[in-house]
PDB file of all heavy atoms in Angstrom:
ATOM      1  N   ALA A  62      98.031  89.251 111.811  1.00  0.00           N
ATOM      2  CA  ALA A  62      97.682  87.842 111.962  1.00  0.00           C
ATOM      3  C   ALA A  62      98.616  87.168 112.952  1.00  0.00           C
ATOM      4  O   ALA A  62      98.926  85.996 112.832  1.00  0.00           O
ATOM      5  CB  ALA A  62      97.741  87.147 110.611  1.00  0.00           C
ATOM      6  N   GLU A  63      99.058  87.918 113.945  1.00  0.00           N
ATOM      7  CA  GLU A  63     100.015  87.403 114.915  1.00  0.00           C
ATOM      8  C   GLU A  63      99.464  86.207 115.679  1.00  0.00           C
ATOM      9  O   GLU A  63     100.203  85.304 116.029  1.00  0.00           O
ATOM     10  CB  GLU A  63     100.423  88.503 115.904  1.00  0.00           C
ATOM     11  CG  GLU A  63     101.059  89.709 115.276  1.00  0.00           C
ATOM     12  CD  GLU A  63     102.395  89.436 114.614  1.00  0.00           C
ATOM     13  OE1 GLU A  63     103.052  88.438 114.941  1.00  0.00           O
ATOM     14  OE2 GLU A  63     102.773  90.230 113.758  1.00  0.00           O
ATOM     15  N   ALA A  64      98.169  86.233 115.967  1.00  0.00           N
ATOM     16  CA  ALA A  64      97.598  85.158 116.766  1.00  0.00           C
ATOM     17  C   ALA A  64      97.738  83.814 116.062  1.00  0.00           C
ATOM     18  O   ALA A  64      97.967  82.805 116.701  1.00  0.00           O
ATOM     19  CB  ALA A  64      96.135  85.452 117.052  1.00  0.00           C
ATOM     20  N   GLY A  65      97.614  83.800 114.749  1.00  0.00           N
ATOM     21  CA  GLY A  65      97.706  82.553 114.010  1.00  0.00           C
ATOM     22  C   GLY A  65      99.084  82.261 113.463  1.00  0.00           C
ATOM     23  O   GLY A  65      99.269  81.308 112.723  1.00  0.00           O
ATOM     24  N   LEU A  66     100.063  83.094 113.819  1.00  0.00           N
ATOM     25  CA  LEU A  66     101.415  82.920 113.300  1.00  0.00           C
ATOM     26  C   LEU A  66     102.053  81.697 113.946  1.00  0.00           C
ATOM     27  O   LEU A  66     102.136  81.596 115.162  1.00  0.00           O
ATOM     28  CB  LEU A  66     102.245  84.172 113.580  1.00  0.00           C
ATOM     29  CG  LEU A  66     103.564  84.307 112.858  1.00  0.00           C
ATOM     30  CD1 LEU A  66     103.362  84.308 111.350  1.00  0.00           C
ATOM     31  CD2 LEU A  66     104.247  85.593 113.266  1.00  0.00           C
ATOM     32  N   GLY A  67     102.462  80.759 113.107  1.00  0.00           N
ATOM     33  CA  GLY A  67     103.077  79.535 113.611  1.00  0.00           C
ATOM     34  C   GLY A  67     104.359  79.231 112.872  1.00  0.00           C
ATOM     35  O   GLY A  67     104.810  79.998 112.017  1.00  0.00           O
ATOM     36  N   TYR A  68     104.941  78.112 113.213  1.00  0.00           N
ATOM     37  CA  TYR A  68     106.183  77.681 112.581  1.00  0.00           C
ATOM     38  C   TYR A  68     105.863  76.684 111.488  1.00  0.00           C
ATOM     39  O   TYR A  68     104.983  75.848 111.626  1.00  0.00           O
ATOM     40  CB  TYR A  68     107.123  77.055 113.609  1.00  0.00           C
ATOM     41  CG  TYR A  68     107.584  78.058 114.628  1.00  0.00           C
ATOM     42  CD1 TYR A  68     106.971  78.155 115.867  1.00  0.00           C
ATOM     43  CD2 TYR A  68     108.623  78.931 114.340  1.00  0.00           C
ATOM     44  CE1 TYR A  68     107.385  79.096 116.791  1.00  0.00           C
ATOM     45  CE2 TYR A  68     109.051  79.869 115.265  1.00  0.00           C
ATOM     46  CZ  TYR A  68     108.417  79.945 116.482  1.00  0.00           C
ATOM     47  OH  TYR A  68     108.823  80.878 117.396  1.00  0.00           O
ATOM     48  N   ARG A  69     106.589  76.787 110.382  1.00  0.00           N
ATOM     49  CA  ARG A  69     106.428  75.844 109.280  1.00  0.00           C
ATOM     50  C   ARG A  69     107.053  74.504 109.641  1.00  0.00           C
ATOM     51  O   ARG A  69     108.112  74.466 110.239  1.00  0.00           O
ATOM     52  CB  ARG A  69     107.148  76.373 108.055  1.00  0.00           C
ATOM     53  CG  ARG A  69     106.245  76.797 106.983  1.00  0.00           C
ATOM     54  CD  ARG A  69     107.082  77.160 105.780  1.00  0.00           C
ATOM     55  NE  ARG A  69     106.728  78.493 105.384  1.00  0.00           N
ATOM     56  CZ  ARG A  69     105.889  78.726 104.388  1.00  0.00           C
ATOM     57  NH1 ARG A  69     105.415  77.749 103.686  1.00  0.00           N
ATOM     58  NH2 ARG A  69     105.560  79.953 104.096  1.00  0.00           N
ATOM     59  N   VAL A  70     106.386  73.443 109.223  1.00  0.00           N
ATOM     60  CA  VAL A  70     106.951  72.113 109.395  1.00  0.00           C
ATOM     61  C   VAL A  70     107.873  71.875 108.203  1.00  0.00           C
ATOM     62  O   VAL A  70     107.418  71.844 107.062  1.00  0.00           O
ATOM     63  CB  VAL A  70     105.850  71.036 109.455  1.00  0.00           C
ATOM     64  CG1 VAL A  70     106.458  69.645 109.567  1.00  0.00           C
ATOM     65  CG2 VAL A  70     104.894  71.318 110.594  1.00  0.00           C
ATOM     66  N   PRO A  71     109.178  71.728 108.458  1.00  0.00           N
ATOM     67  CA  PRO A  71     110.114  71.580 107.333  1.00  0.00           C
ATOM     68  C   PRO A  71     110.069  70.190 106.723  1.00  0.00           C
ATOM     69  O   PRO A  71     109.814  69.212 107.402  1.00  0.00           O
ATOM     70  CB  PRO A  71     111.472  71.834 107.983  1.00  0.00           C
ATOM     71  CG  PRO A  71     111.296  71.384 109.391  1.00  0.00           C
ATOM     72  CD  PRO A  71     109.862  71.720 109.740  1.00  0.00           C
ATOM     73  N   VAL A  72     110.294  70.151 105.421  1.00  0.00           N
ATOM     74  CA  VAL A  72     110.429  68.866 104.743  1.00  0.00           C
ATOM     75  C   VAL A  72     111.755  68.249 105.173  1.00  0.00           C
ATOM     76  O   VAL A  72     111.837  67.085 105.516  1.00  0.00           O
ATOM     77  CB  VAL A  72     110.371  69.040 103.205  1.00  0.00           C
ATOM     78  CG1 VAL A  72     110.647  67.721 102.504  1.00  0.00           C
ATOM     79  CG2 VAL A  72     109.020  69.594 102.804  1.00  0.00           C
ATOM     80  N   SER A  73     112.786  69.082 105.178  1.00  0.00           N
ATOM     81  CA  SER A  73     114.077  68.655 105.703  1.00  0.00           C
ATOM     82  C   SER A  73     114.810  69.887 106.214  1.00  0.00           C
ATOM     83  O   SER A  73     115.042  70.829 105.468  1.00  0.00           O
ATOM     84  CB  SER A  73     114.907  67.948 104.631  1.00  0.00           C
ATOM     85  OG  SER A  73     115.167  68.822 103.558  1.00  0.00           O
ATOM     86  N   ALA A  74     115.107  69.876 107.489  1.00  0.00           N
ATOM     87  CA  ALA A  74     115.817  71.013 108.090  1.00  0.00           C
ATOM     88  C   ALA A  74     117.296  70.925 107.720  1.00  0.00           C
ATOM     89  O   ALA A  74     117.842  69.846 107.501  1.00  0.00           O
ATOM     90  CB  ALA A  74     115.655  70.982 109.603  1.00  0.00           C
ATOM     91  N   ALA A  75     117.931  72.082 107.656  1.00  0.00           N
ATOM     92  CA  ALA A  75     119.366  72.123 107.373  1.00  0.00           C
ATOM     93  C   ALA A  75     120.123  71.618 108.607  1.00  0.00           C
ATOM     94  O   ALA A  75     119.579  71.547 109.707  1.00  0.00           O
ATOM     95  CB  ALA A  75     119.783  73.551 107.041  1.00  0.00           C
ATOM     96  N   LEU A  76     121.366  71.285 108.413  1.00  0.00           N
ATOM     97  CA  LEU A  76     122.184  70.800 109.528  1.00  0.00           C
ATOM     98  C   LEU A  76     122.336  71.845 110.632  1.00  0.00           C
ATOM     99  O   LEU A  76     122.519  71.500 111.793  1.00  0.00           O
ATOM    100  CB  LEU A  76     123.560  70.363 109.023  1.00  0.00           C
ATOM    101  CG  LEU A  76     123.562  69.151 108.097  1.00  0.00           C
ATOM    102  CD1 LEU A  76     124.967  68.870 107.581  1.00  0.00           C
ATOM    103  CD2 LEU A  76     122.997  67.930 108.798  1.00  0.00           C
ATOM    104  N   ASP A  77     122.251  73.113 110.265  1.00  0.00           N
ATOM    105  CA  ASP A  77     122.388  74.170 111.270  1.00  0.00           C
ATOM    106  C   ASP A  77     121.059  74.501 111.960  1.00  0.00           C
ATOM    107  O   ASP A  77     120.981  75.435 112.749  1.00  0.00           O
ATOM    108  CB  ASP A  77     122.982  75.430 110.646  1.00  0.00           C
ATOM    109  CG  ASP A  77     122.094  76.061 109.577  1.00  0.00           C
ATOM    110  OD1 ASP A  77     120.996  75.537 109.326  1.00  0.00           O
ATOM    111  OD2 ASP A  77     122.511  77.079 109.003  1.00  0.00           O
ATOM    112  N   GLY A  78     119.978  73.749 111.668  1.00  0.00           N
ATOM    113  CA  GLY A  78     118.698  73.947 112.318  1.00  0.00           C
ATOM    114  C   GLY A  78     117.766  74.921 111.609  1.00  0.00           C
ATOM    115  O   GLY A  78     116.644  75.140 112.058  1.00  0.00           O
ATOM    116  N   ASN A  79     118.210  75.495 110.514  1.00  0.00           N
ATOM    117  CA  ASN A  79     117.384  76.429 109.760  1.00  0.00           C
ATOM    118  C   ASN A  79     116.310  75.643 109.012  1.00  0.00           C
ATOM    119  O   ASN A  79     116.600  74.634 108.380  1.00  0.00           O
ATOM    120  CB  ASN A  79     118.256  77.214 108.778  1.00  0.00           C
ATOM    121  CG  ASN A  79     117.511  78.308 108.079  1.00  0.00           C
ATOM    122  OD1 ASN A  79     116.500  78.068 107.444  1.00  0.00           O
ATOM    123  ND2 ASN A  79     118.013  79.524 108.187  1.00  0.00           N
ATOM    124  N   THR A  80     115.053  76.121 109.083  1.00  0.00           N
ATOM    125  CA  THR A  80     113.958  75.399 108.426  1.00  0.00           C
ATOM    126  C   THR A  80     113.418  76.114 107.191  1.00  0.00           C
ATOM    127  O   THR A  80     112.362  75.742 106.682  1.00  0.00           O
ATOM    128  CB  THR A  80     112.791  75.178 109.413  1.00  0.00           C
ATOM    129  OG1 THR A  80     112.287  76.445 109.836  1.00  0.00           O
ATOM    130  CG2 THR A  80     113.224  74.350 110.607  1.00  0.00           C
ATOM    131  N   VAL A  81     114.132  77.129 106.698  1.00  0.00           N
ATOM    132  CA  VAL A  81     113.677  77.857 105.511  1.00  0.00           C
ATOM    133  C   VAL A  81     114.005  77.041 104.262  1.00  0.00           C
ATOM    134  O   VAL A  81     115.155  76.718 104.004  1.00  0.00           O
ATOM    135  CB  VAL A  81     114.340  79.250 105.416  1.00  0.00           C
ATOM    136  CG1 VAL A  81     113.944  79.941 104.121  1.00  0.00           C
ATOM    137  CG2 VAL A  81     113.972  80.098 106.612  1.00  0.00           C
ATOM    138  N   ASP A  82     112.974  76.698 103.504  1.00  0.00           N
ATOM    139  CA  ASP A  82     113.135  76.049 102.202  1.00  0.00           C
ATOM    140  C   ASP A  82     112.985  77.165 101.168  1.00  0.00           C
ATOM    141  O   ASP A  82     111.877  77.634 100.912  1.00  0.00           O
ATOM    142  CB  ASP A  82     112.077  74.973 102.005  1.00  0.00           C
ATOM    143  CG  ASP A  82     112.151  74.286 100.652  1.00  0.00           C
ATOM    144  OD1 ASP A  82     112.964  74.706  99.795  1.00  0.00           O
ATOM    145  OD2 ASP A  82     111.384  73.336 100.443  1.00  0.00           O
ATOM    146  N   MET A  83     114.109  77.605 100.622  1.00  0.00           N
ATOM    147  CA  MET A  83     114.114  78.778  99.767  1.00  0.00           C
ATOM    148  C   MET A  83     113.146  78.655  98.594  1.00  0.00           C
ATOM    149  O   MET A  83     112.423  79.607  98.277  1.00  0.00           O
ATOM    150  CB  MET A  83     115.537  79.013  99.278  1.00  0.00           C
ATOM    151  CG  MET A  83     115.885  80.409  98.960  1.00  0.00           C
ATOM    152  SD  MET A  83     115.342  81.628 100.113  1.00  0.00           S
ATOM    153  CE  MET A  83     116.139  82.965  99.346  1.00  0.00           C
ATOM    154  N   GLY A  84     113.085  77.510  97.955  1.00  0.00           N
ATOM    155  CA  GLY A  84     112.172  77.315  96.828  1.00  0.00           C
ATOM    156  C   GLY A  84     110.717  77.468  97.252  1.00  0.00           C
ATOM    157  O   GLY A  84     109.933  78.139  96.586  1.00  0.00           O
ATOM    158  N   ALA A  85     110.352  76.852  98.368  1.00  0.00           N
ATOM    159  CA  ALA A  85     108.977  76.933  98.863  1.00  0.00           C
ATOM    160  C   ALA A  85     108.629  78.363  99.286  1.00  0.00           C
ATOM    161  O   ALA A  85     107.521  78.841  99.027  1.00  0.00           O
ATOM    162  CB  ALA A  85     108.780  75.977 100.032  1.00  0.00           C
ATOM    163  N   GLU A  86     109.570  79.044  99.920  1.00  0.00           N
ATOM    164  CA  GLU A  86     109.325  80.423 100.357  1.00  0.00           C
ATOM    165  C   GLU A  86     109.152  81.358  99.157  1.00  0.00           C
ATOM    166  O   GLU A  86     108.269  82.206  99.159  1.00  0.00           O
ATOM    167  CB  GLU A  86     110.474  80.934 101.232  1.00  0.00           C
ATOM    168  CG  GLU A  86     110.654  80.193 102.533  1.00  0.00           C
ATOM    169  CD  GLU A  86     109.478  80.312 103.484  1.00  0.00           C
ATOM    170  OE1 GLU A  86     108.771  81.343 103.469  1.00  0.00           O
ATOM    171  OE2 GLU A  86     109.261  79.369 104.254  1.00  0.00           O
ATOM    172  N   GLN A  87     109.998  81.194  98.161  1.00  0.00           N
ATOM    173  CA  GLN A  87     109.895  82.046  96.975  1.00  0.00           C
ATOM    174  C   GLN A  87     108.588  81.798  96.233  1.00  0.00           C
ATOM    175  O   GLN A  87     107.952  82.737  95.753  1.00  0.00           O
ATOM    176  CB  GLN A  87     111.087  81.828  96.056  1.00  0.00           C
ATOM    177  CG  GLN A  87     112.368  82.409  96.617  1.00  0.00           C
ATOM    178  CD  GLN A  87     113.587  82.046  95.782  1.00  0.00           C
ATOM    179  OE1 GLN A  87     113.625  81.010  95.122  1.00  0.00           O
ATOM    180  NE2 GLN A  87     114.591  82.905  95.818  1.00  0.00           N
ATOM    181  N   MET A  88     108.177  80.537  96.158  1.00  0.00           N
ATOM    182  CA  MET A  88     106.923  80.210  95.503  1.00  0.00           C
ATOM    183  C   MET A  88     105.748  80.800  96.286  1.00  0.00           C
ATOM    184  O   MET A  88     104.838  81.399  95.707  1.00  0.00           O
ATOM    185  CB  MET A  88     106.744  78.701  95.370  1.00  0.00           C
ATOM    186  CG  MET A  88     105.474  78.326  94.629  1.00  0.00           C
ATOM    187  SD  MET A  88     105.018  76.606  94.809  1.00  0.00           S
ATOM    188  CE  MET A  88     104.662  76.505  96.537  1.00  0.00           C
ATOM    189  N   ALA A  89     105.758  80.657  97.604  1.00  0.00           N
ATOM    190  CA  ALA A  89     104.687  81.207  98.439  1.00  0.00           C
ATOM    191  C   ALA A  89     104.644  82.725  98.325  1.00  0.00           C
ATOM    192  O   ALA A  89     103.565  83.323  98.248  1.00  0.00           O
ATOM    193  CB  ALA A  89     104.879  80.779  99.892  1.00  0.00           C
TER     194      ALA A  89
END
Side-chain angles (χ1 to χ4, degrees):
E63 300 295 339
L66 193 60
Y68 295 98
R69 250 186 234 261
V70 177
V72 175
S73 61
L76 294 176
D77 64 1
N79 187 304
T80 62
V81 175
D82 178 354
M83 208 44 175
E86 296 296 330
Q87 288 173 332
M88 183 195 65

